[in-house]
Amino acid sequence: MNKFVFVSSLLLFAGHTLQAQDKPAVDSIQKKNIQIVDSIKVKKITNDLPTTVVATQLKDSMVFSLEDMAKARRIDSLWLQELFATGRFEEMYGTVQNQSYEPLPYKEESTEVLKQRLAKLNARTPFNVEYNASLESVINSYLKNRRKTLTRLMALSDYYFPMFEEQLDRYGLPLEMKYLAIVESALDPRAVSRVGATGLWQFMFSTGKMFDLDVNSYVDERSDPIMATEAASKYLFSLYNSLEDWDLALAAYNSGPGNVAKAIRRSGGKKNYWNIRSYLPRETAGYVPAFLATMYIFEYAKELGFKSEGPTIPYIATDTVKVKKMITFDQISEITSIPKEEIEYLNPSYKLGIIPYIEDENYVLRLPVDQIGKFVANEDAIYAYAEKELNEREKPLKELIDQPERIRYRVRKGDYLGKIAERYGVGVSQIKRWNGLRNNNLRVGQRLTVYPRKPVGSSSSTTASTSNVKTYTVKNGDSLWSISQKFPGVTVEKIKNWNDISGTNLKPGMKLKIQKG
């Protein structure tokens, strides 16, 4: 038996044993007091001259300490910053859209070596990866211009690929199909394209519904890695059954089987992808070469000098538990001491950082396996604490409602991209891409297309009073990540939205708006 399954079974048994006892009180979660040093600089007059001295004071502070919590896990913040960054989707999307096939003077390796490796790869995969000059150009372009991004993607793939391979094998698909998710979303489960396709496998709203991927005010199952991978496997399997060619199935996944059928007719009945490529939409024409180039680089990563540092949390070292009451990511983070960004990374389908409880739905929480046991063993007390905290909130939480696929937003006086992005739970760069905006300028009355992640009509983010807005002055050595850690509940993406920042570059003296509470 798999050791993780065995451990999880024991922990679940412990949880069920606890439930048979009396329900724990709200305050039964174990806590501990710690001492922290509070220091301030003060002026002191010595010999009629002012000097600066540091005054320190010990203060008591209380934190949650679950009974069987192991030693606090050390998290490399720089790694998390890279891991949770979302800019790689825009880079991949732009690369596929604007791919050039002109020969490059830059070559990572000789054409002869490339031919030999492609021949070996072609022998062990059902995809057509024979050498041609266009494919060589794409490979060399990636190696020259995208090495840093590819290194990050390899680290992310260590987490995602095991779950992909499990589903692909279940439906009898080539395991190399896992590389399609890199081309589709750059392994960003919350990626949204300019036309509203969402998730690792970029399902449109209507296509997702066809494969039972639900979207409502709290949950977008297109962003659930396992559910979306299963849906993609079903879709790809049906496309292959119709087209009887994996390259054409890839093209049809991107542009639809109708466009592939039209390209076959216009080419005079040819069925080799490279022979019909010129008759396909521009994006699809760059789609299969991007897939084959990605496959080649990943399959020969070691020979090409790539080295993955591996995931902070391997997929096999995580487990799920079905929620029994509504609970928020903030509460889970507070109780388990897991950074909220890590919880978001493991549970990307929950749009508002809230896991709802609906009797007929199977909403689960994914955590590192060592934390799942602690959660189950203390779950009654955890849910009692969460319920008490939610009841004390000033405003009720949103009801579960179906989410519209997109809206048309009319720009009002005082609007700016960051404000609109925060209102609908999306990124500034996404709004710009959906509407073809080249800068951040807006005009009153302008209509914008938005694919919301927050419920339409939600105004919790945009009605914050000015008293809740703090101005932070950037200092030497600051990064968006380090600044976000100074304010509870603040993330890098929120800072970028509040301040219309599309990149990560900061300058000392720069003023940033931070919303508190």
Side-chain angles (χ1 to χ4, degrees):
M1 177 182 283
N2 184 292
K3 63 180 180 179
F4 290 109
V5 175
F6 177 70
V7 171
S8 301
S9 300
L10 287 178
L11 294 170
L12 287 170
F13 175 77
H16 291 311
T17 302
L18 181 66
Q19 290 175 357
Q21 302 170 3
D22 292 336
K23 183 178 181 179
V26 171
D27 297 325
S28 64
I29 306 177
Q30 287 201 352
K31 308 175 184 70
K32 65 179 179 182
N33 289 318
I34 60 173
Q35 285 192 324
I36 58 174
V37 178
D38 187 19
S39 62
I40 59 171
K41 292 183 178 180
V42 297
K43 295 288 186 182
K44 181 179 180 182
I45 306 298
T46 304
N47 297 329
D48 297 329
L49 295 174
T51 58
T52 301
V53 297
V54 177
T56 62
Q57 180 182 9
L58 283 175
K59 288 186 176 182
D60 290 329
S61 181
M62 185 186 70
V63 296
F64 288 103
S65 178
L66 298 186
E67 183 176 356
D68 57 352
M69 183 180 290
K71 184 179 179 181
R73 296 160 59 245
R74 297 182 63 187
I75 303 295
D76 184 344
S77 62
L78 292 177
W79 165 242
L80 286 177
Q81 182 181 2
E82 295 290 343
L83 195 65
F84 305 136
T86 57
R88 58 186 185 275
F89 172 69
E90 280 77 11
E91 179 184 338
M92 172 59 84
Y93 186 82
T95 300
V96 175
Q97 282 279 81
N98 304 302
Q99 181 64 54
S100 170
Y101 301 96
E102 295 298 321
L104 289 178
Y106 172 88
K107 285 194 177 183
E108 184 87 13
E109 58 195 0
S110 70
T111 299
E112 190 57 38
V113 171
L114 176 61
K115 288 180 177 180
Q116 292 173 3
R117 289 177 177 171
L118 287 175
K120 291 180 181 178
L121 188 56
N122 191 47
R124 63 176 189 257
T125 178
F127 297 98
N128 180 15
V129 288
E130 294 178 353
Y131 171 85
N132 63 65
S134 295
L135 181 56
E136 180 179 26
S137 175
V138 177
I139 291 172
N140 286 330
S141 172
Y142 281 20
L143 292 173
K144 178 184 179 182
N145 302 317
R146 304 189 61 236
R147 181 170 283 272
K148 184 177 180 181
T149 298
L150 287 165
T151 300
R152 295 178 192 167
L153 288 169
M154 287 179 186
L156 285 165
S157 73
D158 289 337
Y159 175 77
Y160 284 113
F161 279 4
M163 72 173 77
F164 293 171
E165 290 171 345
E166 183 178 351
Q167 293 296 327
L168 293 170
D169 180 65
R170 179 181 171 191
Y171 287 90
L173 272 64
L175 297 187
E176 294 88 354
M177 195 66 79
K178 62 192 176 186
Y179 299 119
L180 180 60
I182 294 178
V183 180
E184 284 286 344
S185 66
L187 297 182
D188 181 356
R190 292 188 170 183
V192 182
S193 77
R194 61 179 174 81
V195 294
T198 299
L200 289 164
W201 298 93
Q202 290 290 281
F203 276 98
M204 293 295 292
F205 188 90
S206 56
T207 312
K209 290 285 188 181
M210 286 172 54
F211 290 94
D212 300 321
L213 297 177
D214 189 33
V215 180
N216 57 52
S217 54
Y218 283 122
V219 183
D220 189 338
E221 291 178 347
R222 295 175 297 174
S223 292
D224 183 287
I226 294 178
M227 296 180 72
T229 302
E230 182 177 10
S233 298
K234 292 178 181 177
Y235 189 25
L236 286 163
F237 183 77
S238 67
L239 290 172
Y240 176 75
N241 282 342
S242 300
L243 297 164
E244 299 180 339
D245 182 274
W246 285 114
D247 290 350
L248 297 183
L250 286 175
Y253 189 90
N254 177 253
S255 66
N259 280 324
V260 173
K262 283 184 282 188
I264 292 173
R265 291 188 184 97
R266 289 167 180 162
S267 68
K270 296 182 175 64
K271 293 186 178 180
N272 181 291
Y273 168 81
W274 294 97
N275 292 332
I276 69 169
R277 185 162 66 96
S278 60
Y279 300 98
L280 291 167
R282 177 178 176 82
E283 180 181 339
T284 309
Y287 188 73
V288 173
F291 171 81
L292 297 176
T294 301
M295 183 201 304
Y296 171 80
I297 292 171
F298 270 70
E299 292 291 326
Y300 287 100
K302 183 178 180 180
E303 292 84 348
L304 293 169
F306 288 96
K307 182 179 180 182
S308 169
E309 298 298 330
T312 300
I313 311 164
Y315 169 65
I316 197 172
T318 67
D319 202 353
T320 60
V321 58
K322 183 176 179 179
V323 297
K324 297 180 178 179
K325 289 187 178 180
M326 177 180 284
I327 192 167
T328 71
F329 287 179
D330 287 325
Q331 293 165 341
I332 298 167
S333 176
E334 183 180 7
I335 292 168
T336 63
S337 298
I338 300 175
K340 184 180 176 181
E341 288 79 7
E342 193 171 309
I343 297 171
E344 291 173 340
Y345 172 66
L346 294 174
N347 301 272
S349 62
Y350 301 112
K351 301 191 292 185
L352 304 180
I354 300 169
I355 306 178
Y357 173 72
I358 308 296
E359 189 171 345
D360 297 330
E361 297 290 346
N362 188 34
Y363 294 139
V364 299
L365 167 67
R366 182 175 293 276
L367 291 175
V369 71
D370 63 319
Q371 296 290 346
I372 280 287
K374 299 160 193 173
F375 187 96
V376 172
N378 297 274
E379 64 181 358
D380 285 346
I382 290 172
Y383 288 130
Y385 166 78
E387 185 176 21
K388 178 176 181 290
E389 199 269 341
L390 288 170
N391 289 337
E392 291 174 352
R393 292 191 175 187
E394 183 177 353
K395 295 180 180 180
L397 292 168
K398 296 289 179 185
E399 295 181 2
L400 189 72
I401 57 174
D402 285 337
Q403 181 75 351
E405 180 181 5
R406 69 175 180 175
I407 62 159
R408 291 286 286 170
Y409 179 81
R410 185 176 181 273
V411 176
R412 304 178 180 91
K413 185 177 180 181
D415 275 346
Y416 54 90
L417 284 177
K419 181 179 180 181
I420 299 169
E422 177 65 16
R423 177 173 185 174
Y424 294 109
V426 299
V428 169
S429 60
Q430 291 175 318
I431 294 179
K432 291 172 71 174
R433 186 174 68 251
W434 295 331
N435 295 277
L437 303 178
R438 296 187 177 183
N439 54 48
N440 295 335
N441 298 330
L442 297 175
R443 66 179 185 278
V444 175
Q446 183 177 354
R447 296 282 183 176
L448 298 176
T449 296
V450 180
Y451 296 87
R453 290 189 64 85
K454 287 184 178 179
V456 174
S458 172
S459 57
S460 59
S461 304
T462 57
T463 57
S465 65
T466 54
S467 62
N468 285 335
V469 178
K470 176 182 176 65
T471 299
Y472 179 84
T473 303
V474 176
K475 304 177 180 64
N476 276 324
D478 273 347
S479 67
L480 289 175
W481 175 256
S482 65
I483 295 171
S484 72
Q485 299 306 291
K486 299 177 188 291
F487 303 97
V490 173
T491 65
V492 169
E493 199 62 30
K494 285 182 178 179
I495 296 176
K496 292 171 73 173
N497 286 340
W498 292 331
N499 295 276
D500 279 351
I501 298 174
S502 57
T504 58
N505 295 329
L506 298 177
K507 294 181 180 179
M510 186 177 179
K511 303 291 186 181
L512 297 177
K513 290 177 289 188
I514 306 292
Q515 290 187 16
K516 300 183 294 181

